[in-house]
Amino acid sequence: MMTEVGQGAALVLTEQRGAVAVLRLNRPPVNALAPALVQALMDALQQAQARGDVAAMVLAAEGRCFSVGADIHAFGDAGPDPHVLPCALTSSSKPIVAALHGEVLGGGLELALACQARVASADVRLGLPEITLGLIPGAGGTQRLPRLIGPEAALALMLSGQPINSADALAVGLVDAVVEEGLLDCACALALRLARNESRRTVRAPWPVMPSVKPVTRRLPEPAASAIRACVQAASDQTMDDGLALESRWFAQCLASPNSVALRHAFAAERRARQVPGVPAGSKARDVHHAAVIGAGTMGHGIAICLAEAGIQVDLIDPDPAALQRAQRAIERHHLQTQAKGRISSEQAQRRIQLVRTGESLAAAADVDLVVEAVFENMALKCQLFQQLDGLCRTGTLLASNTSSLDIDRMAQATRRPGEVLGLHFFGPAPAMRLLEIVRGAQTSGQALVDGLALARRLGKVAVVARVGPGFIGNRMVGPYGRQAERLLLEGATPTQVDRALVNFGFPMGPHTVGDMVGLDVGVRAAAEASPSADPRDGAVARRLVAEGRLGQKSGTGLYRYESGSRQALPDPAAEALIRDEARRLGINPREIDDSEIVQRCLLALINEGAALLGEGVALRAGDIDTVWLNGYGFPRWLGGPMHHADQIGLPSVLDRLALWAQACSSDEALWRPAPLLIELAHQGSNFADLDRQTP
Ligand code: 3HC
C-alpha cells in the first residue's frame, strides 16, 4: 500500500513491504532538499516510527537520483535547522537503511550518512560538492563522514568536491553493499536483519585513503577549505554535539560569504541561461545522428572531436587535402591522449576516431542533420558557402556558423531557409572549453534554438543564447578589455605587469599571454576585417610587433619571448623597447602604473561594455554575460562574473570610477562614457541582479 506525505504533490511516498516501511523522496527532477521536502520526510519518519507493524525503514528515492542535496535556489528560505532531519534518522529507534541510486550529493549524502547502513546501485555517484559552492557540508557530513571512513578519505572527498563511483565508495566503506539490480529488496532485507540484530557494521582500522583526488582549492581563495579542515579535526577530538555545533557556525559563516554568494550565482546563472523566451521548456529537439563540419582548421577539427565524443557521425570537409591530413592526425592524437589518461577505453578511442570521415567534396553534407561551418572569418566566403549549402542540404538540416563575430543574418539571407540558420560559436580549444555561444538571428526559428540548446547539452557544453551584433557577447567585451590592456602598455606598464595584475585578480592568464597564444597577427587581421578604429593608438602595439615578425608563441617572439619548444612566456626587453618606441611615436609619455589601476581599468571597461550590450538586447540577462565570461574567458568563478562583480562593487561606485577615469584620461573620455543601462539602474537604486529577476 502506498501513502503520500507532503502538501500538493506528494513529496514523500511511503510503502509498506512486510515489516519494512519504504520512504521515497519524490521531488523531481533531482530531489533537491527544499524545506517542504525536509518537513515531509520528518512527518513520514514520525508516522513510520509510530506504527507497530513497522520494524525497520528504508530511505530511497523516486526518479533519476537519490538526492543532489540542499535546494540551492532555496537557501535563505525559512526551514528546519539542517541537523534536525539527520539527527532524527540517527536517533531512530528502528533501523534505517539508505537505498542509493544516481547522484547522492551534498545534503543527500548527509542523509544517507545518518542512516544505519547504505546500499547502492552500481550507477551511483556519491560526493560532497559543497566546496564548489563556497560551502561546507552543513547537515552533519563533516562529523559523520570522518567517523565512518576516516579523516583522510573524508577530507579528500570534501576538499575535492568530486563524486566517487560505487566501487570506490565500497572500497572506502562509504556504502555497505553495491547491487546490480534489486536495490530495494536488498535494502529491505538488510533493514530487517538490522532490526533483528543479525547484522552489524564492522568498523575497520586503519582507515583507507582515498585515491588521487585534487582539492579544488589550489587556485581559489577558499575559506570553506580551512573550515572543512577545522571541522574534520573536531570530528577526531571533540564530541559529536560539539562537532555539529562547530559545523553549524562555519556553515552559516560560509553561506554568508561573498565567495559562496558568487559561486551559487554562477551555478544558477548557468542553468537559467538555458531558458530562452519563445522556446517553451520541454520542446523536443530534432535528433542529430550525422553532421558535417566544413573547414578542417583548428576550430573545425576541434568541433569534429566534440561531435564524435557525443557519438555523432561527422564528415569533416575541406578542399585542401593537406589540411584534412593534419586534422586527421590531430583528431587521432586527441583521442589517443584521452585514452592514455585512462578516461576512455581503446575501443572508445577507436570508435571516436572512426566516427570522423574526412573528404574534399561538399556533397557529403547533402544528407546530414547538422552542418557547422568553420571556414575563415570572411563574410563573402561564408555567404557563398551558405548559398551552396542551401542548394545542397535536405530540408530540415540545421545550418550553423562557428563565426566568432560576423553577422549571422547576412549568412541566413544567403539561403531560402533563414529559420534554420544560427550561430554555434565554439571556443578554442573546442574539446576543452565549456562555453557554446548560440547566436540567434533575426529569423532563427524556435525549433532551431531548441536544437542548438539540446546539442550543447549533449556535448556537455554550457550554452548561452546571444543576439546578432559584432562579437556577440564574449568577443564584443574583449574589445574594450583588450584596448585597456594595450593602452596600459603604451602608458608605461610592461606585458608582464599587466598580466600579473590580472592573474592575481583571478584570471588564469593575462590578456597579453592570451594574445601571444592566439597569435598577434590574428587580432590584427580581425581588426582590419571589422570597421577600423579612428584612434591611432588602437592596435598600435600589435601592428608594430607583427610588422617586426613577432607573431606570438608560433614565431618564438611576440609580447614575450619563448625558448625553443616551450610555451612559457618570458619577459622580453626587445618587445618592451618596441612598445616604448611606439608610445614615443604616438606622443605618449611613460609613467609608473600600479597593479590596482590595471585591474580597475580592465574591469570597468568589461563591465561597461557588458551593460551596453545588455541594454541593446544582445544578451538577455546579466547572468548570461557572467556565464559567458566564467566559461569562455576564465573570469574568476568565486567573483561570479563581471556583472555580478559590478553589483558587489555597487553600481553608483562603478559610475563614480568611470567618471574618474574619464577625467584622468581626457583623450579617452568617450571610452569611459557609462552605458545608459548602467546609469538607469544606478539612479533607480537597482542593480543587475534585480534586472535579471524581472526578466522572463
Ligand atoms: N538545488 C536545486 N536545484 C538543483 C540542484 C540543487 N542542489 N542540483 C540540480 N538542480 C536542478 C538544476 O537547476 C536543473 O534544473 P532545471 O532543469 O530547472 O534547470 C536540474 O536540477 C538538473 O540539473 P542539471 O541541469 O545541472 O543536470 P546535470 O545532469 O547536468 O547535473 C548535477 C546534475 C551533477 C546534480 C548538478 O546539477 C549539480 O552539480 N548540482 C549541484 C549539486 C550540489 O552542489 N549539491 C550540494 C548542495 S549544497 C548542500 O547540500 C548543503 C548541505 O550540506 C546542507
Side-chain angles (χ1 to χ4, degrees), residues 588-600:
I588 303 168
N589 291 326
R591 62 183 172 86
E592 283 289 315
I593 293 179
D594 65 25
D595 288 7
S596 66
E597 173 177 342
I598 294 170
V599 171
Q600 197 176 114

PDB file of all heavy atoms in Angstrom, residues 588-600:
ATOM      1  N   ILE A 588      53.110  59.577 -26.367  1.00  0.00           N
ATOM      2  CA  ILE A 588      52.658  59.216 -25.007  1.00  0.00           C
ATOM      3  C   ILE A 588      53.872  59.101 -24.089  1.00  0.00           C
ATOM      4  O   ILE A 588      54.810  58.347 -24.391  1.00  0.00           O
ATOM      5  CB  ILE A 588      51.898  57.870 -25.026  1.00  0.00           C
ATOM      6  CG1 ILE A 588      50.718  57.951 -25.999  1.00  0.00           C
ATOM      7  CG2 ILE A 588      51.417  57.494 -23.621  1.00  0.00           C
ATOM      8  CD1 ILE A 588      50.091  56.614 -26.316  1.00  0.00           C
ATOM      9  N   ASN A 589      53.868  59.844 -22.987  1.00  0.00           N
ATOM     10  CA  ASN A 589      54.980  59.772 -22.035  1.00  0.00           C
ATOM     11  C   ASN A 589      54.741  58.643 -21.042  1.00  0.00           C
ATOM     12  O   ASN A 589      53.663  58.573 -20.437  1.00  0.00           O
ATOM     13  CB  ASN A 589      55.094  61.082 -21.248  1.00  0.00           C
ATOM     14  CG  ASN A 589      55.567  62.197 -22.157  1.00  0.00           C
ATOM     15  OD1 ASN A 589      56.360  61.972 -23.066  1.00  0.00           O
ATOM     16  ND2 ASN A 589      55.038  63.387 -21.924  1.00  0.00           N
ATOM     17  N   PRO A 590      55.720  57.758 -20.858  1.00  0.00           N
ATOM     18  CA  PRO A 590      55.513  56.659 -19.910  1.00  0.00           C
ATOM     19  C   PRO A 590      55.453  57.159 -18.474  1.00  0.00           C
ATOM     20  O   PRO A 590      56.037  58.194 -18.151  1.00  0.00           O
ATOM     21  CB  PRO A 590      56.733  55.767 -20.120  1.00  0.00           C
ATOM     22  CG  PRO A 590      57.738  56.603 -20.812  1.00  0.00           C
ATOM     23  CD  PRO A 590      57.042  57.732 -21.490  1.00  0.00           C
ATOM     24  N   ARG A 591      54.721  56.446 -17.640  1.00  0.00           N
ATOM     25  CA  ARG A 591      54.644  56.796 -16.215  1.00  0.00           C
ATOM     26  C   ARG A 591      54.547  55.498 -15.410  1.00  0.00           C
ATOM     27  O   ARG A 591      54.302  54.418 -15.980  1.00  0.00           O
ATOM     28  CB  ARG A 591      53.434  57.697 -15.943  1.00  0.00           C
ATOM     29  CG  ARG A 591      52.115  57.044 -16.250  1.00  0.00           C
ATOM     30  CD  ARG A 591      50.920  57.967 -16.041  1.00  0.00           C
ATOM     31  NE  ARG A 591      49.705  57.331 -16.529  1.00  0.00           N
ATOM     32  CZ  ARG A 591      48.944  56.513 -15.834  1.00  0.00           C
ATOM     33  NH1 ARG A 591      49.253  56.203 -14.594  1.00  0.00           N
ATOM     34  NH2 ARG A 591      47.868  55.971 -16.371  1.00  0.00           N
ATOM     35  N   GLU A 592      54.704  55.631 -14.081  1.00  0.00           N
ATOM     36  CA  GLU A 592      54.558  54.476 -13.182  1.00  0.00           C
ATOM     37  C   GLU A 592      53.074  54.098 -13.124  1.00  0.00           C
ATOM     38  O   GLU A 592      52.229  54.980 -12.947  1.00  0.00           O
ATOM     39  CB  GLU A 592      54.994  54.857 -11.769  1.00  0.00           C
ATOM     40  CG  GLU A 592      56.492  54.916 -11.558  1.00  0.00           C
ATOM     41  CD  GLU A 592      57.126  53.539 -11.571  1.00  0.00           C
ATOM     42  OE1 GLU A 592      56.572  52.625 -10.930  1.00  0.00           O
ATOM     43  OE2 GLU A 592      58.168  53.385 -12.252  1.00  0.00           O
ATOM     44  N   ILE A 593      52.776  52.825 -13.262  1.00  0.00           N
ATOM     45  CA  ILE A 593      51.367  52.383 -13.180  1.00  0.00           C
ATOM     46  C   ILE A 593      51.291  51.288 -12.132  1.00  0.00           C
ATOM     47  O   ILE A 593      52.099  50.354 -12.154  1.00  0.00           O
ATOM     48  CB  ILE A 593      50.896  51.861 -14.549  1.00  0.00           C
ATOM     49  CG1 ILE A 593      50.852  53.030 -15.541  1.00  0.00           C
ATOM     50  CG2 ILE A 593      49.525  51.190 -14.450  1.00  0.00           C
ATOM     51  CD1 ILE A 593      50.427  52.658 -16.927  1.00  0.00           C
ATOM     52  N   ASP A 594      50.353  51.397 -11.200  1.00  0.00           N
ATOM     53  CA  ASP A 594      50.293  50.322 -10.202  1.00  0.00           C
ATOM     54  C   ASP A 594      49.239  49.278 -10.579  1.00  0.00           C
ATOM     55  O   ASP A 594      48.378  49.512 -11.431  1.00  0.00           O
ATOM     56  CB  ASP A 594      50.125  50.856  -8.773  1.00  0.00           C
ATOM     57  CG  ASP A 594      48.804  51.553  -8.570  1.00  0.00           C
ATOM     58  OD1 ASP A 594      47.853  51.235  -9.313  1.00  0.00           O
ATOM     59  OD2 ASP A 594      48.720  52.411  -7.679  1.00  0.00           O
ATOM     60  N   ASP A 595      49.355  48.121  -9.915  1.00  0.00           N
ATOM     61  CA  ASP A 595      48.503  46.988 -10.289  1.00  0.00           C
ATOM     62  C   ASP A 595      47.020  47.295 -10.117  1.00  0.00           C
ATOM     63  O   ASP A 595      46.179  46.806 -10.869  1.00  0.00           O
ATOM     64  CB  ASP A 595      48.884  45.751  -9.450  1.00  0.00           C
ATOM     65  CG  ASP A 595      50.216  45.177  -9.876  1.00  0.00           C
ATOM     66  OD1 ASP A 595      50.890  45.825 -10.714  1.00  0.00           O
ATOM     67  OD2 ASP A 595      50.590  44.100  -9.375  1.00  0.00           O
ATOM     68  N   SER A 596      46.689  48.105  -9.107  1.00  0.00           N
ATOM     69  CA  SER A 596      45.257  48.347  -8.881  1.00  0.00           C
ATOM     70  C   SER A 596      44.666  49.154 -10.037  1.00  0.00           C
ATOM     71  O   SER A 596      43.514  48.952 -10.428  1.00  0.00           O
ATOM     72  CB  SER A 596      45.025  49.047  -7.536  1.00  0.00           C
ATOM     73  OG  SER A 596      45.587  50.331  -7.588  1.00  0.00           O
ATOM     74  N   GLU A 597      45.464  50.023 -10.644  1.00  0.00           N
ATOM     75  CA  GLU A 597      44.963  50.764 -11.813  1.00  0.00           C
ATOM     76  C   GLU A 597      44.697  49.801 -12.967  1.00  0.00           C
ATOM     77  O   GLU A 597      43.681  49.903 -13.664  1.00  0.00           O
ATOM     78  CB  GLU A 597      45.980  51.830 -12.236  1.00  0.00           C
ATOM     79  CG  GLU A 597      45.562  52.500 -13.545  1.00  0.00           C
ATOM     80  CD  GLU A 597      46.470  53.627 -14.013  1.00  0.00           C
ATOM     81  OE1 GLU A 597      47.246  54.158 -13.184  1.00  0.00           O
ATOM     82  OE2 GLU A 597      46.373  53.992 -15.202  1.00  0.00           O
ATOM     83  N   ILE A 598      45.611  48.850 -13.139  1.00  0.00           N
ATOM     84  CA  ILE A 598      45.464  47.875 -14.238  1.00  0.00           C
ATOM     85  C   ILE A 598      44.149  47.109 -14.080  1.00  0.00           C
ATOM     86  O   ILE A 598      43.331  47.030 -14.989  1.00  0.00           O
ATOM     87  CB  ILE A 598      46.664  46.897 -14.245  1.00  0.00           C
ATOM     88  CG1 ILE A 598      47.941  47.663 -14.579  1.00  0.00           C
ATOM     89  CG2 ILE A 598      46.425  45.751 -15.211  1.00  0.00           C
ATOM     90  CD1 ILE A 598      49.224  46.868 -14.391  1.00  0.00           C
ATOM     91  N   VAL A 599      43.951  46.575 -12.872  1.00  0.00           N
ATOM     92  CA  VAL A 599      42.755  45.757 -12.643  1.00  0.00           C
ATOM     93  C   VAL A 599      41.504  46.618 -12.795  1.00  0.00           C
ATOM     94  O   VAL A 599      40.537  46.233 -13.465  1.00  0.00           O
ATOM     95  CB  VAL A 599      42.812  45.100 -11.242  1.00  0.00           C
ATOM     96  CG1 VAL A 599      41.505  44.425 -10.899  1.00  0.00           C
ATOM     97  CG2 VAL A 599      43.950  44.086 -11.189  1.00  0.00           C
ATOM     98  N   GLN A 600      41.540  47.794 -12.206  1.00  0.00           N
ATOM     99  CA  GLN A 600      40.338  48.630 -12.226  1.00  0.00           C
ATOM    100  C   GLN A 600      39.960  49.038 -13.654  1.00  0.00           C
ATOM    101  O   GLN A 600      38.797  48.933 -14.055  1.00  0.00           O
ATOM    102  CB  GLN A 600      40.565  49.869 -11.366  1.00  0.00           C
ATOM    103  CG  GLN A 600      39.248  50.523 -11.038  1.00  0.00           C
ATOM    104  CD  GLN A 600      39.417  51.695 -10.105  1.00  0.00           C
ATOM    105  OE1 GLN A 600      39.173  52.806 -10.494  1.00  0.00           O
ATOM    106  NE2 GLN A 600      39.838  51.446  -8.881  1.00  0.00           N
TER     107      GLN A 600
END
